[in-house]
PDB file of all heavy atoms in Angstrom:
ATOM      1  N   LYS A 149     108.272  64.311 -20.141  1.00 80.00           N
ATOM      2  CA  LYS A 149     109.510  64.788 -20.602  1.00 80.00           C
ATOM      3  C   LYS A 149     110.273  63.640 -21.199  1.00 80.00           C
ATOM      4  O   LYS A 149     110.874  63.745 -22.353  1.00 80.00           O
ATOM      5  CB  LYS A 149     110.267  65.418 -19.575  1.00 80.00           C
ATOM      6  CG  LYS A 149     111.703  66.010 -20.061  1.00 80.00           C
ATOM      7  CD  LYS A 149     112.448  66.592 -18.954  1.00 80.00           C
ATOM      8  CE  LYS A 149     113.800  67.021 -19.398  1.00 80.00           C
ATOM      9  NZ  LYS A 149     114.646  67.666 -18.275  1.00 80.00           N
ATOM     10  N   GLU A 150     110.322  62.461 -20.554  1.00 81.00           N
ATOM     11  CA  GLU A 150     110.983  61.336 -20.997  1.00 81.00           C
ATOM     12  C   GLU A 150     110.358  60.826 -22.278  1.00 81.00           C
ATOM     13  O   GLU A 150     111.061  60.462 -23.204  1.00 81.00           O
ATOM     14  CB  GLU A 150     110.887  60.225 -20.015  1.00 81.00           C
ATOM     15  CG  GLU A 150     111.812  60.493 -18.769  1.00 81.00           C
ATOM     16  CD  GLU A 150     111.729  59.478 -17.642  1.00 81.00           C
ATOM     17  OE1 GLU A 150     110.705  58.673 -17.698  1.00 81.00           O
ATOM     18  OE2 GLU A 150     112.517  59.509 -16.685  1.00 81.00           O
ATOM     19  N   PHE A 151     109.064  60.825 -22.429  1.00 86.00           N
ATOM     20  CA  PHE A 151     108.373  60.478 -23.649  1.00 86.00           C
ATOM     21  C   PHE A 151     108.740  61.323 -24.884  1.00 86.00           C
ATOM     22  O   PHE A 151     109.110  60.802 -25.890  1.00 86.00           O
ATOM     23  CB  PHE A 151     106.861  60.511 -23.434  1.00 86.00           C
ATOM     24  CG  PHE A 151     106.052  60.236 -24.667  1.00 86.00           C
ATOM     25  CD1 PHE A 151     106.087  58.945 -25.220  1.00 86.00           C
ATOM     26  CD2 PHE A 151     105.320  61.241 -25.329  1.00 86.00           C
ATOM     27  CE1 PHE A 151     105.377  58.745 -26.453  1.00 86.00           C
ATOM     28  CE2 PHE A 151     104.645  61.024 -26.450  1.00 86.00           C
ATOM     29  CZ  PHE A 151     104.624  59.716 -27.082  1.00 86.00           C
ATOM     30  N   ILE A 152     108.744  62.643 -24.626  1.00 88.00           N
ATOM     31  CA  ILE A 152     109.097  63.606 -25.672  1.00 88.00           C
ATOM     32  C   ILE A 152     110.515  63.287 -26.124  1.00 88.00           C
ATOM     33  O   ILE A 152     110.800  63.319 -27.392  1.00 88.00           O
ATOM     34  CB  ILE A 152     108.924  65.050 -25.165  1.00 88.00           C
ATOM     35  CG1 ILE A 152     107.419  65.349 -25.038  1.00 88.00           C
ATOM     36  CG2 ILE A 152     109.533  66.052 -26.144  1.00 88.00           C
ATOM     37  CD1 ILE A 152     106.688  65.348 -26.367  1.00 88.00           C
ATOM     38  N   SER A 153     111.388  63.126 -25.210  1.00 86.00           N
ATOM     39  CA  SER A 153     112.787  62.887 -25.533  1.00 86.00           C
ATOM     40  C   SER A 153     112.971  61.591 -26.340  1.00 86.00           C
ATOM     41  O   SER A 153     113.682  61.515 -27.331  1.00 86.00           O
ATOM     42  CB  SER A 153     113.688  62.749 -24.268  1.00 86.00           C
ATOM     43  OG  SER A 153     113.703  64.026 -23.604  1.00 86.00           O
ATOM     44  N   SER A 154     112.177  60.544 -25.928  1.00 86.00           N
ATOM     45  CA  SER A 154     112.240  59.269 -26.551  1.00 86.00           C
ATOM     46  C   SER A 154     111.725  59.411 -28.014  1.00 86.00           C
ATOM     47  O   SER A 154     112.313  58.790 -28.992  1.00 86.00           O
ATOM     48  CB  SER A 154     111.380  58.251 -25.765  1.00 86.00           C
ATOM     49  OG  SER A 154     111.302  57.021 -26.455  1.00 86.00           O
ATOM     50  N   VAL A 155     110.582  60.119 -28.182  1.00 91.00           N
ATOM     51  CA  VAL A 155     110.044  60.255 -29.473  1.00 91.00           C
ATOM     52  C   VAL A 155     110.999  61.039 -30.481  1.00 91.00           C
ATOM     53  O   VAL A 155     111.179  60.578 -31.565  1.00 91.00           O
ATOM     54  CB  VAL A 155     108.724  61.056 -29.455  1.00 91.00           C
ATOM     55  CG1 VAL A 155     108.213  61.386 -30.837  1.00 91.00           C
ATOM     56  CG2 VAL A 155     107.659  60.189 -28.699  1.00 91.00           C
ATOM     57  N   HIS A 156     111.566  61.990 -29.917  1.00 91.00           N
ATOM     58  CA  HIS A 156     112.626  62.823 -30.633  1.00 91.00           C
ATOM     59  C   HIS A 156     113.768  61.938 -31.201  1.00 91.00           C
ATOM     60  O   HIS A 156     114.206  61.948 -32.295  1.00 91.00           O
ATOM     61  CB  HIS A 156     113.195  63.931 -29.835  1.00 91.00           C
ATOM     62  CG  HIS A 156     114.128  64.818 -30.549  1.00 91.00           C
ATOM     63  ND1 HIS A 156     113.781  65.744 -31.509  1.00 91.00           N
ATOM     64  CD2 HIS A 156     115.471  64.898 -30.509  1.00 91.00           C
ATOM     65  CE1 HIS A 156     114.791  66.362 -31.971  1.00 91.00           C
ATOM     66  NE2 HIS A 156     115.872  65.901 -31.444  1.00 91.00           N
ATOM     67  N   GLU A 157     114.245  61.065 -30.248  1.00 88.00           N
ATOM     68  CA  GLU A 157     115.329  60.164 -30.551  1.00 88.00           C
ATOM     69  C   GLU A 157     114.895  59.153 -31.669  1.00 88.00           C
ATOM     70  O   GLU A 157     115.682  58.880 -32.573  1.00 88.00           O
ATOM     71  CB  GLU A 157     115.738  59.394 -29.237  1.00 88.00           C
ATOM     72  CG  GLU A 157     116.938  58.479 -29.455  1.00 88.00           C
ATOM     73  CD  GLU A 157     117.303  57.716 -28.162  1.00 88.00           C
ATOM     74  OE1 GLU A 157     117.385  58.471 -27.093  1.00 88.00           O
ATOM     75  OE2 GLU A 157     117.469  56.544 -28.154  1.00 88.00           O
ATOM     76  N   GLU A 158     113.728  58.527 -31.509  1.00 89.00           N
ATOM     77  CA  GLU A 158     113.219  57.611 -32.540  1.00 89.00           C
ATOM     78  C   GLU A 158     112.985  58.284 -33.861  1.00 89.00           C
ATOM     79  O   GLU A 158     113.297  57.720 -34.943  1.00 89.00           O
ATOM     80  CB  GLU A 158     111.980  56.897 -32.001  1.00 89.00           C
ATOM     81  CG  GLU A 158     112.095  56.069 -30.693  1.00 89.00           C
ATOM     82  CD  GLU A 158     113.069  54.942 -30.889  1.00 89.00           C
ATOM     83  OE1 GLU A 158     113.340  54.535 -31.988  1.00 89.00           O
ATOM     84  OE2 GLU A 158     113.555  54.469 -29.791  1.00 89.00           O
ATOM     85  N   MET A 159     112.608  59.498 -33.843  1.00 92.00           N
ATOM     86  CA  MET A 159     112.293  60.194 -35.172  1.00 92.00           C
ATOM     87  C   MET A 159     113.643  60.478 -35.812  1.00 92.00           C
ATOM     88  O   MET A 159     113.737  60.423 -37.099  1.00 92.00           O
ATOM     89  CB  MET A 159     111.481  61.432 -34.936  1.00 92.00           C
ATOM     90  CG  MET A 159     110.027  61.117 -34.581  1.00 92.00           C
ATOM     91  SD  MET A 159     108.923  62.527 -34.819  1.00 92.00           S
ATOM     92  CE  MET A 159     109.758  63.739 -33.712  1.00 92.00           C
ATOM     93  N   ASP A 160     114.700  60.860 -35.052  1.00 91.00           N
ATOM     94  CA  ASP A 160     115.934  61.054 -35.679  1.00 91.00           C
ATOM     95  C   ASP A 160     116.444  59.745 -36.361  1.00 91.00           C
ATOM     96  O   ASP A 160     116.989  59.855 -37.449  1.00 91.00           O
ATOM     97  CB  ASP A 160     116.993  61.506 -34.610  1.00 91.00           C
ATOM     98  CG  ASP A 160     116.822  62.976 -34.242  1.00 91.00           C
ATOM     99  OD1 ASP A 160     116.112  63.680 -35.009  1.00 91.00           O
ATOM    100  OD2 ASP A 160     117.414  63.359 -33.179  1.00 91.00           O
TER     101      ASP A 160
END
Side-chain angles (χ1 to χ4, degrees):
K149 180 181 178 181
E150 290 174 345
F151 173 70
I152 288 295
S153 298
S154 173
V155 172
H156 182 76
E157 183 180 314
E158 297 298 340
M159 287 195 306
D160 282 347

